[in-house]
Amino acid sequence: MTQNEIEIRSLHKSFGDNEVLRGIDLDVAHGEVVCVIGPSGSGKSTLLRCVNLLEEPSAGKVFVGGTEVTDLDVDIDAVRRRIGMVFQQFNLFPHVTVAENLTLPQRRVLKRDKARAAAVARENLERVGLADKAGAYPAQLSGGQQQRVAIARALAMDPEVMLFDEPTSALDPELVGEVLAVMRVLAAEGMTMMVVTHEMSFAREVADRVVFMDGGVIVEQGPAEQVVGSPRHERTRNFLNRILDPAAAAEPGAGPQDAGPQDAGPQDAGPGPGTGPGPGPGDAEDVRKEG
């Protein structure tokens, strides 16, 4: 085990002429929770997706657990098995049960037998408080419950690192708390986590470090209390003022919140077939046959 679970060096990413990431350097230590904040279009989601190569960097290097993800000869599927990722959308298979959503990736990717996969599924549904929903279908669950199932599915793959890309942004406000509560438990258990979020209270309470991005660069980073509570840079202060006091941001002359360049790539579509440990939406027909 390396001291840093994630190491990012001089990372650049462009979509055509739009340079979304402009030389990012960032480390995430073993057991550390790092929250990445910033306006829409600042490159946050693109950064996260470059960590497990859902987006291929234009330049630079990314290491996960000491393995260079950006090496042309790397076994990317082996690396991704060590990384759990939770997206804005839940990406659950609608035609199979909650339990099957957890067992199918284990059996396909980790080659676990049916009994072992079922036991791991039960254990992780208990971790997210949904053991009683194993036989339900995703459409029978609330959005918050579906996102908790997505977290349980990622945990069932025994990841060493968890990446969260705005996991609560698609939820109704009253459902956000139940997802954040699960993430708090994971942080307390020592899971290494990199979280893109607009939930400032979560970042302040749970993160060991907060990274503020704008315009494809890291503007400021440091302990959560310092960055969120007493930011040093004016751009960070302006962003937090708009997030924490939306009424003030709406006043005449306040200016647009999202002044940075827009990310040109797909942000929350989730992995497609063959891109990671979880099956992609294109595999639904196979799942129906197996289910």
Side-chain angles (χ1 to χ4, degrees):
M1 188 70 67
T2 60
Q3 183 178 0
N4 290 321
E5 287 287 3
I6 300 172
E7 299 179 6
I8 300 169
R9 297 288 178 265
S10 301
L11 189 67
H12 291 257
K13 176 60 181 179
S14 296
F15 296 98
D17 295 331
N18 185 14
E19 190 175 15
V20 176
L21 299 178
R22 307 182 180 189
I24 300 293
D25 289 289
L26 182 66
D27 292 333
V28 179
H30 176 61
E32 186 179 24
V33 178
V34 173
C35 283
V36 184
I37 65 173
S40 297
S42 59
K44 309 182 302 296
S45 291
T46 300
L47 173 62
L48 206 68
R49 293 169 69 90
C50 283
V51 171
N52 64 354
L53 227 62
L54 290 179
E55 295 290 355
E56 186 173 348
S58 303
K61 296 182 178 182
V62 177
F63 300 83
V64 176
T67 300
E68 185 185 344
V69 177
T70 44
D71 187 331
L72 293 177
D73 295 325
V74 73
D75 183 348
I76 188 60
D77 290 332
V79 173
R80 287 185 181 134
R81 284 196 286 271
R82 300 159 61 182
I83 304 171
M85 189 156 185
V86 178
F87 299 89
Q88 296 179 23
Q89 304 299 328
F90 320 126
N91 298 320
L92 300 177
F93 290 128
H95 302 298
V96 298
T97 65
V98 164
E100 289 171 308
N101 266 281
L102 269 68
T103 57
L104 286 171
Q106 297 181 63
R107 297 181 65 188
R108 288 183 175 183
V109 178
L110 301 182
K111 308 303 180 185
R112 286 176 176 159
D113 62 44
K114 187 174 182 179
R116 174 60 178 157
V120 172
R122 286 194 299 271
E123 175 187 339
N124 283 288
L125 286 173
E126 289 175 1
R127 290 176 75 181
V128 301
L130 291 175
D132 61 330
K133 300 296 185 181
Y137 288 83
Q140 297 173 312
L141 306 180
S142 70
Q145 289 172 331
Q146 290 186 61
Q147 190 62 293
R148 286 152 63 192
V149 171
I151 293 172
R153 179 180 60 186
L155 293 173
M157 305 300 288
D158 295 333
E160 297 171 13
V161 175
M162 285 287 287
L163 308 178
F164 293 87
D165 186 7
E166 294 282 10
T168 61
S169 67
L171 302 178
D172 292 334
E174 65 269 21
L175 302 177
V176 169
E178 63 188 64
V179 174
L180 295 181
V182 171
M183 295 172 65
R184 285 186 174 93
V185 171
L186 294 180
E189 292 175 351
M191 175 65 73
T192 304
M193 298 164 59
M194 191 171 173
V195 184
V196 170
T197 185
H198 278 103
E199 298 292 340
M200 293 302 108
S201 61
F202 176 84
R204 191 167 187 168
E205 296 168 15
V206 179
D208 298 297
R209 186 157 41 101
V210 170
V211 175
F212 173 69
M213 289 183 63
D214 190 27
V217 300
I218 293 175
V219 176
E220 179 172 359
Q221 65 174 302
E225 185 62 33
Q226 179 259 303
V227 174
V228 179
S230 184
R232 297 171 181 171
H233 288 260
E234 181 179 2
R235 182 66 188 95
T236 315
R237 289 194 295 271
N238 290 340
F239 169 77
L240 289 170
N241 285 340
R242 292 186 173 105
I243 290 291
L244 300 175
D245 190 2
E251 293 177 358
Q257 174 183 334
D258 301 331
Q262 293 298 305
D263 290 357
Q267 293 308 302
D268 44 44
T275 57
D283 294 327
E285 183 62 32
D286 292 338
V287 172
R288 287 194 292 271
K289 292 176 181 177
E290 290 191 24

